[in-house]
Amino acid sequence: MENNMFKKLIEYREGNNNSLLEIIEIFNPLISKYSRLLDKEDTRQDLIIHLIKVLTNIPIENKRVLKNKEIIGYIAKSIRNEYIKLSKKRDKIRLNEMELSLDIEISHEDCKTEFEILDMFKVLTKKEAYIMKLLYVYYLSVSEVADYMKISRQAVNQSKNRALKKIKELYLYK
């Protein structure tokens, strides 16, 4: 029983899918707990995919990994870290969605079609539109956008604020 998890890991790596299913079943309570906490549709699948990646990357040649306890602890901690990462990503998305709705103050009824939303970007410069896309479509932080574009955070914020001002003027002061 001591090397049961190690044996299942080896069998999985040799192509035995039943061993993979058994390992997923072992960690099912933990995966269910974290997916329930995030209350998101794809969280369970994301955590299972992460589990499979972890199983593939565990260094089995390391002598410390031979023990059942270390393998289970390693995998459980890895799943927990992935949950934290997904949670932060969800919070970031929620914050950006809230910021966008508060900054623009446009209700869904104001936009007659999806094309009007696309037309909003026509009043922006290429740089402003690109920054808005990175911030509000890809949910990057101001720092991430600044690093990616190799400009300062202040420049990103200034472009974002100019773009929001143009969009507000376009829709609120027709």
Side-chain angles (χ1 to χ4, degrees):
M1 184 69 180
E2 182 64 26
N3 290 332
N4 191 20
M5 183 59 74
F6 184 74
K7 287 178 185 175
K8 288 180 184 182
L9 178 61
I10 296 296
E11 288 173 3
Y12 161 66
R13 287 208 178 163
E14 290 173 351
N16 185 345
N17 288 333
N18 289 331
S19 295
L20 175 62
L21 293 175
E22 290 173 12
I23 294 172
I24 291 173
E25 192 60 37
I26 290 170
F27 290 98
N28 189 38
L30 188 63
I31 291 171
S32 295
K33 171 187 169 186
Y34 289 138
S35 62
R36 194 172 46 254
L37 287 173
L38 277 179
D39 195 34
K40 198 173 170 193
E41 291 177 19
D42 296 333
T43 304
R44 180 173 180 73
Q45 289 83 356
D46 290 340
L47 291 174
I48 290 173
I49 289 170
H50 181 73
L51 171 63
I52 294 170
K53 287 179 185 176
V54 168
L55 294 174
T56 306
N57 294 327
I58 289 180
I60 56 174
E61 61 278 350
N62 189 341
K63 298 297 181 197
R64 286 182 37 202
V65 178
L66 294 176
K67 294 185 178 173
N68 199 28
K69 187 176 178 183
E70 280 80 11
I71 295 173
I72 292 174
Y74 180 83
I75 294 171
K77 192 169 211 165
S78 177
I79 291 172
R80 181 178 183 275
N81 289 341
E82 183 68 10
Y83 156 73
I84 291 170
K85 181 180 143 193
L86 292 171
S87 177
K88 286 181 179 180
K89 185 177 179 181
R90 184 191 74 175
D91 290 344
K92 188 181 203 181
I93 290 170
R94 189 179 295 149
L95 178 67
N96 284 338
E97 286 173 350
M98 185 173 68
E99 183 179 314
L100 180 63
S101 66
L102 290 175
D103 285 342
I104 297 180
E105 300 172 5
I106 299 174
S107 66
H108 182 66
E109 295 79 32
D110 292 338
C111 297
K112 303 289 186 256
T113 67
E114 290 81 12
F115 294 109
E116 282 188 0
I117 294 171
L118 295 174
D119 285 341
M120 285 192 294
F121 283 94
K122 289 182 180 176
V123 299
L124 306 178
T125 65
K126 286 183 180 181
K127 181 180 178 181
E128 290 169 345
Y130 187 64
I131 288 174
M132 295 296 282
K133 183 178 178 184
L134 291 175
L135 290 171
Y136 295 111
V137 176
Y138 294 110
Y139 304 112
L140 297 178
S141 69
V142 172
S143 299
E144 292 170 330
V145 172
D147 290 342
Y148 180 71
M149 294 183 71
K150 296 183 180 17
I151 59 177
S152 68
R153 291 189 327 266
Q154 292 82 4
V156 172
N157 277 319
Q158 288 172 352
S159 293
K160 177 185 87 168
N161 290 335
R162 272 194 311 274
L164 290 172
K165 184 178 178 184
K166 289 178 183 178
I167 293 171
K168 283 180 186 178
E169 288 173 359
L170 177 68
Y171 282 96
L172 297 178
Y173 309 114
K174 285 183 179 179

